[in-house]
Amino acid sequence: MLSFYYNPDLSAGSFRTTALIKALTEKLPEGAHVEVVTTLPNRYRTFSSECSELETHPSLEIRRIRLPGHCSGMVDQSKAFLYFAKEVKRHVGSRQYDLVYATSSRLMTAALGAWIARRKKAKLYLDIRDLFVDTIKHVLPRRLLLLTRPLFSLVERWTIRRADKVNLVSRGFKSYFDSRYPSLPCSFFTNGIDEEFIAAGTRLKGSKPAHPLLTVLYAGNMGEGQGLHMIVPALAKRMRGRIIFRLIGDGGRAAALQTALQNAGVDNVELLSPMKRDQLIQAYQEADVLFLHLNDYEAFKKVLPSKLFEYAAMGKPIWAGVSGYAADFVKSEITNAAVFHPCDAAEAEEVFEKLSLMNTRRPEFIDKYARTKLMQAMADDLLSVAGVRLR
């Protein structure tokens, strides 16, 4: 099981893989064994958490690789992955596997999984959480893109065609895969809601905010994909005297966000470092509205942000700057949510008025997207590819 992030790191990949491993180990037949190869917490430069490099259980071994220090830039991330890949290759050595699973937002973890599966003559199950080749055209400079995109396209084709099955976390990815890999078996186990958020949501009170100045909270990555630097300064300025933004997180565009806020001269935005889940849940509970945004790029019309699931479980009003599949999902699945076009501060202000500033229970959504239920089904799917008889 390859995952660049794993518990106790803070990322969608970490939470997802941790839940899947729990479901998987409960279903393994006697004598079966799972190896997780991952990293020590490194998602954010401003967050660290102590844990063991080697963790062993009766049917489970977790190997966490210590990466050299790095930041969120593409060069640093590339160096970190190359180090990870070198250490993974050393670790797998002469070990034998029946199945290799890799979860990948960036393509190269999937490619590493494909390389191991081929070398070990093992089945390959890929969990695809992002369309890397489709996304990098919005991130890389044009000259660099012309050099690298053909190479990454080749790597993607080589990787995906070696998979025995691929899971897509967003149904918005389906058209991309249908056009390129029409005969590939796919499943659609999306992101889900962890128990901590379900439990926290049940403690909601339905009252309106008692104070006139509303707290709008965003928690998560602050990268090019989220585009907070493109929306928050203008939106905060328009709604000064009505809302205070609390932004919790870090990422490659955090500095750009801070500069944009200074240039806009706004004083109603608070920037906070990443925090552990118990602190984050408390911050959710104290907020009046939860905010989400994706940058205005064509590739992001296919994605489904994992953050939507924990937001919805908290029962707070949701204010989302998304388009494409994510916008359709919010409108059809989540009550008391207002959607605006990404980077459009005027429309964001307009749709804000449609929100009910009351907490809203969403029991049907929670039942449908509880992470435990989804990962139980995904574990069955994964083991069926391995040819394992379930308990």
Side-chain angles (χ1 to χ4, degrees):
M1 310 284 289
L2 278 180
S3 179
F4 199 75
Y5 303 113
Y6 192 76
N7 182 56
D9 216 341
L10 303 177
S11 81
S14 168
F15 305 142
R16 181 177 179 82
T17 308
T18 303
L20 178 60
I21 293 298
K22 185 177 186 300
L24 189 62
T25 53
E26 291 170 356
K27 294 173 177 289
L28 288 175
E30 188 175 349
H33 187 73
V34 175
E35 269 184 39
V36 178
V37 188
T38 183
T39 64
L40 285 168
N42 72 102
R43 180 69 173 88
Y44 295 116
R45 178 179 52 83
T46 49
F47 174 82
S48 63
S49 183
E50 291 300 318
C51 58
S52 301
E53 292 187 34
L54 178 62
E55 192 177 325
T56 58
H57 305 273
S59 60
L60 173 66
E61 176 184 318
I62 302 167
R63 171 71 65 177
R64 296 182 177 93
I65 294 168
R66 185 181 297 277
L67 300 180
H70 65 284
C71 297
S72 296
M74 183 159 285
V75 173
D76 262 16
Q77 288 183 21
S78 299
K79 289 178 180 177
F81 178 79
L82 288 173
Y83 184 87
F84 174 66
K86 181 185 74 172
E87 293 300 308
V88 169
K89 288 178 182 180
R90 179 183 299 170
H91 173 78
V92 300
S94 60
R95 299 179 184 218
Q96 293 302 313
Y97 307 102
D98 299 296
L99 175 74
V100 174
Y101 164 94
T103 183
S104 190
S105 61
R106 300 176 181 90
L107 172 65
M108 299 312 295
T109 304
L112 180 60
W115 181 85
I116 294 169
R118 186 184 184 195
R119 185 179 173 192
K120 304 296 182 180
K121 297 182 172 61
K123 298 278 189 178
L124 177 63
Y125 190 112
L126 296 179
D127 181 43
I128 300 299
R129 297 183 288 108
D130 194 11
L131 301 179
F132 182 80
V133 174
D134 200 32
T135 303
I136 58 169
K137 62 189 176 188
H138 304 300
V139 178
L140 295 180
R142 180 172 174 77
R143 184 176 295 179
L144 184 59
L145 184 65
L146 290 173
L147 292 172
T148 59
R149 196 176 183 210
L151 173 62
F152 284 128
S153 294
L154 283 172
V155 172
E156 181 191 83
R157 284 198 295 274
W158 181 87
T159 300
I160 300 300
R161 287 174 178 171
R162 272 154 184 77
D164 293 278
K165 192 162 190 181
V166 170
N167 179 70
L168 306 177
V169 299
S170 169
R171 285 190 177 271
F173 295 167
K174 189 175 185 300
S175 60
Y176 180 92
F177 269 75
D178 283 350
S179 64
R180 290 163 176 79
Y181 315 106
S183 60
L184 184 70
C186 289
S187 54
F188 299 92
F189 298 105
T190 188
N191 284 298
I193 311 162
D194 289 311
E195 289 296 328
E196 300 97 310
F197 298 102
I198 295 174
T202 62
R203 298 193 293 269
L204 274 178
K205 295 179 181 178
S207 57
K208 286 188 176 182
H211 42 85
L213 200 60
L214 300 171
T215 299
V216 175
L217 184 140
Y218 168 84
N221 195 41
M222 297 178 178
E224 185 66 23
Q226 292 72 37
L228 297 180
H229 57 294
M230 302 294 291
I231 183 67
V232 172
L235 188 51
K237 196 167 189 175
R238 294 180 77 100
M239 302 195 70
R240 189 167 181 256
R242 298 170 62 194
I243 69 170
I244 293 176
F245 273 104
R246 295 187 78 201
L247 310 180
I248 301 172
D250 200 353
R253 299 296 271 168
L257 171 61
Q258 196 159 15
T259 300
L261 292 170
Q262 291 170 351
N263 292 341
V266 297
D267 59 2
N268 57 333
V269 179
E270 183 181 4
L271 298 178
L272 300 170
S273 296
M275 55 183 64
K276 294 182 178 180
R277 276 190 158 187
D278 56 343
Q279 298 170 303
L280 181 62
I281 286 171
Q282 184 177 344
Y284 283 160
Q285 290 172 328
E286 292 170 354
D288 299 307
V289 176
L290 301 179
F291 182 78
L292 181 78
H293 189 262
L294 291 178
N295 217 333
D296 190 16
Y297 295 150
E298 188 67 28
F300 295 151
K301 292 181 178 180
K302 304 180 184 74
V303 306
L304 183 60
S306 61
K307 189 61 61 176
L308 275 173
F309 295 90
E310 62 189 58
Y311 274 15
M314 296 305 300
K316 300 287 182 173
I318 296 174
W319 195 18
V322 292
S323 58
Y325 180 72
D328 293 341
F329 182 88
V330 173
K331 291 172 184 175
S332 63
E333 298 278 347
I334 304 176
T335 55
N336 197 18
V339 175
F340 62 93
H341 193 273
C343 302
D344 190 334
E347 187 184 0
E349 183 180 16
E350 180 183 336
V351 303
F352 185 83
E353 304 303 327
K354 298 177 182 178
L355 287 172
S356 168
L357 297 175
M358 296 281 290
N359 295 328
T360 305
R361 296 190 184 278
R362 303 178 176 111
E364 295 85 2
F365 184 90
I366 290 170
D367 182 65
K368 186 175 181 180
Y369 293 107
R371 177 100 72 184
T372 301
K373 181 186 291 187
L374 290 171
M375 291 301 97
Q376 289 284 339
M378 188 173 177
D380 288 346
D381 193 50
L382 193 153
L383 290 173
S384 71
V385 172
V388 173
R389 290 184 179 179
L390 302 179
R391 288 176 186 172

